[in-house]
Amino acid sequence: MRKNIVAGNWKMNNDLSQTEALISDLNKQIKTSNAEVMIAPSFTNLWHAFEATRQDSIEVVAQNMHFASNGAYTGEVSASMLKSVGIQTVILGHSERRAYFNEDDAILAQKVDTALANNLRVIFCFGEELADRKSGNEEAIVEAQIKNALFHLDASAFKNIVLAYEPVWAIGTGETASPEQAQDMHKFIRKTLNDKYGNQVADNMSILYGGSVKPANAKEIFSKPDVDGGLIGGAALKAEDFYAIVNAF
Ligand code: PGA
């Protein structure tokens, strides 16, 4: 049975005191839910967040990591550093990492390998740009992103992977994919997995949707059969909005 997951990606927001305040609100509100709940604060606040969060109800995850295990990579953070502060899951391949930090499929394949070798679970993000959708290329783009970064893996690796479909045109824009657009793409993604790895991998894969998910649209998006949760940006920065989205399950 695949899991429902709601993950809040805080991006480069919230200093230490804001992190403390938001976690304190979330701790009060999120006790039990029908989804796994995750938050991804900045690197500098991961340890504090890990300590402050009620681990039975909210998992603290990282937004990124480097592919090398250690060494001369000024400013970077390794998998073992994340593990050492209690982190068990890392987001990789977010469109902002791809667009602003030149992370391509080859780099992401290395990052995925390093994360899995360190027993980190991966939330792997991908999604087409507006021009791709306008030209009807969205499935080809998404298929290539998944294949290039993940299809060198054995089927057994996929139990530690969560997929997050995030159309770039819907991230932070207020424009959401319609529930039908999300469902169509998620169904296509599951079929792509099924064709390569069979139904065991495909049926058990949690596929999250990300891109302007809000309390007002979460329920309808999450009601689609192939949508197993959400990766939430802007709305994850307000406790009551994030809580309402978690409660949409
Ligand atoms: P958004 O961001 O919810 O603000 O659109 C989603 C994401 O980037 O994960």
Side-chain angles (χ1 to χ4, degrees), residues 9 11 94 96 166 170-173 210-213 231-235:
N9 173 12
K11 309 191 180 183
H94 192 280
E96 287 147 20
E166 299 203 300
I171 296 177
T173 58
S212 298
V213 177
L231 185 53
I232 320 300

Side-chain angles (χ1 to χ4, degrees), residues 121-142:
R121 177 162 61 157
V122 172
I123 300 177
F124 183 73
C125 307
F126 53 87
E128 83 282 1
E129 301 198 20
L130 185 57
D132 304 320
R133 184 157 280 267
K134 282 194 168 152
S135 60
N137 267 345
E138 65 271 19
E139 289 188 349
I141 295 286
V142 160

Side-chain angles (χ1 to χ4, degrees), residues 45-238:
N45 294 317
L46 284 179
W47 171 239
H48 171 80
F50 178 77
E51 291 273 282
T53 308
R54 300 176 15 167
Q55 294 298 317
D56 52 339
S57 46
I58 303 175
E59 182 186 348
V60 177
V61 312
Q63 298 177 18
N64 181 36
M65 53 158 245
H66 198 263
F67 55 76
S69 50
N70 65 286
Y73 297 97
T74 300
E76 292 291 333
V77 169
S78 71
S80 63
M81 291 171 187
L82 297 180
K83 296 277 302 217
S84 73
V85 293
I87 301 303
Q88 295 177 49
T89 302
V90 61
I91 298 170
L92 295 176
H94 192 280
S95 67
E96 287 147 20
R97 299 296 317 171
R98 293 174 189 260
Y100 307 142
F101 303 95
N102 303 320
E103 294 192 8
D104 59 16
D105 293 343
I107 289 173
L108 291 171
Q110 288 186 68
K111 290 192 175 201
V112 168
D113 288 347
T114 302
L116 296 177
N118 283 275
N119 294 320
L120 283 164
R121 177 162 61 157
V122 172
I123 300 177
F124 183 73
C125 307
F126 53 87
E128 83 282 1
E129 301 198 20
L130 185 57
D132 304 320
R133 184 157 280 267
K134 282 194 168 152
S135 60
N137 267 345
E138 65 271 19
E139 289 188 349
I141 295 286
V142 160
E143 185 176 4
Q145 287 172 325
I146 294 173
K147 283 188 173 166
N148 293 342
L150 301 179
F151 274 17
H152 62 286
L153 298 170
D154 291 338
S156 63
F158 281 81
K159 62 180 185 307
N160 288 320
I161 293 182
V162 170
L163 298 180
Y165 168 59
E166 299 203 300
V168 178
W169 48 271
I171 296 177
T173 58
E175 191 175 340
T176 322
S178 70
E180 291 70 32
Q181 283 173 319
Q183 166 59 22
D184 287 351
M185 184 59 88
H186 284 221
K187 192 172 170 194
F188 170 76
I189 293 162
R190 212 177 294 286
K191 180 181 176 305
T192 303
L193 285 178
N194 191 67
D195 291 348
K196 167 83 175 167
Y197 291 103
N199 65 341
Q200 185 83 349
V201 168
D203 291 347
N204 287 320
M205 177 58 63
S206 296
I207 308 177
L208 316 184
Y209 168 79
S212 298
V213 177
K214 305 262 180 303
N217 59 25
K219 208 178 185 96
E220 210 188 337
I221 295 172
F222 294 168
S223 71
K224 295 295 176 191
D226 287 295
V227 178
D228 308 307
L231 185 53
I232 320 300
L237 298 174
K238 277 178 69 187

